[in-house]
Amino acid sequence: MSKVDETRKFWSDKFDEFDASGNGELTVQELRDALKGMGANLSDADISSMFRDIDEDKSRSISKNEFIRQMTKKNRQDAFKEFFAENDTDGSGCLTADEIRKFADKDSGASVEEILKQCDVNSDGKITLEEFLERIDG
């Protein structure tokens, strides 16, 4: 099982554990109970705000997919940051056309021009970490 699959399974199991009603959705009360049960010292306002952030479709309940997507977002962003840093070989904080060329053909099959067009928001010929994250995980 891959690390991604393990992480998804972990959060899927947690969701099932938190879903006291067993209906496949979390209410704000179930989220509150789960967080308090884990020892989280959050106010009701903080929990309500967290709930609204996770409830992407604003249905007033959190589906398993919404929960897993939000819980794994940090892991995805960390992986994307690591990929960016590994490919920013000159340490400039930007991916240049030459740096992109080194991974583009073998990893994505996309051309340097395609990647720049998609990610280089300010058209300066380089991709910053912020531009990269916004386009990849935005």
Side-chain angles (χ1 to χ4, degrees):
M1 183 181 293
S2 74
K3 180 75 170 155
V4 171
D5 290 337
E6 287 176 18
T7 301
R8 288 185 62 77
K9 178 163 180 12
F10 172 83
W11 287 115
S12 176
D13 291 346
K14 282 294 179 193
F15 180 92
D16 293 341
E17 186 180 311
F18 297 163
D19 181 17
S21 67
N23 69 349
E25 297 180 336
L26 294 182
T27 63
V28 70
Q29 186 61 49
E30 286 172 323
L31 181 63
R32 180 179 294 116
D33 293 346
L35 292 169
K36 301 240 181 204
M38 293 170 41
N41 189 18
L42 298 169
S43 70
D44 285 346
D46 289 339
I47 293 170
S48 292
S49 176
M50 180 185 296
F51 184 89
R52 285 189 304 275
D53 289 343
I54 298 171
D55 181 20
E56 296 169 345
D57 66 2
K58 306 304 177 209
S59 64
R60 297 187 182 180
S61 64
I62 299 171
S63 70
K64 186 180 269 193
N65 285 338
E66 287 173 324
F67 182 79
I68 291 170
R69 194 170 23 259
Q70 289 299 314
M71 295 302 107
T72 59
K73 188 170 188 168
K74 181 180 181 334
N75 291 341
R76 282 194 322 267
Q77 285 206 336
D78 288 347
F80 291 141
K81 286 177 184 177
E82 186 177 318
F83 175 85
F84 186 94
E86 288 172 2
N87 287 283
D88 179 20
T89 55
D90 66 3
S92 67
C94 296
L95 295 179
T96 63
D98 287 338
E99 290 168 329
I100 295 167
R101 190 170 290 109
K102 291 176 185 173
F103 69 81
D105 294 329
K106 70 175 182 176
D107 289 344
S108 71
S111 72
V112 172
E113 293 76 22
E114 289 172 311
I115 293 171
L116 282 170
K117 183 178 178 184
Q118 186 177 36
C119 296
D120 184 15
V121 175
N122 64 2
S123 301
D124 65 355
K126 301 177 279 191
I127 301 171
T128 65
L129 177 60
E130 291 75 25
E131 289 172 324
F132 182 74
L133 290 175
E134 177 62 31
R135 293 297 188 232
I136 298 296
D137 200 37

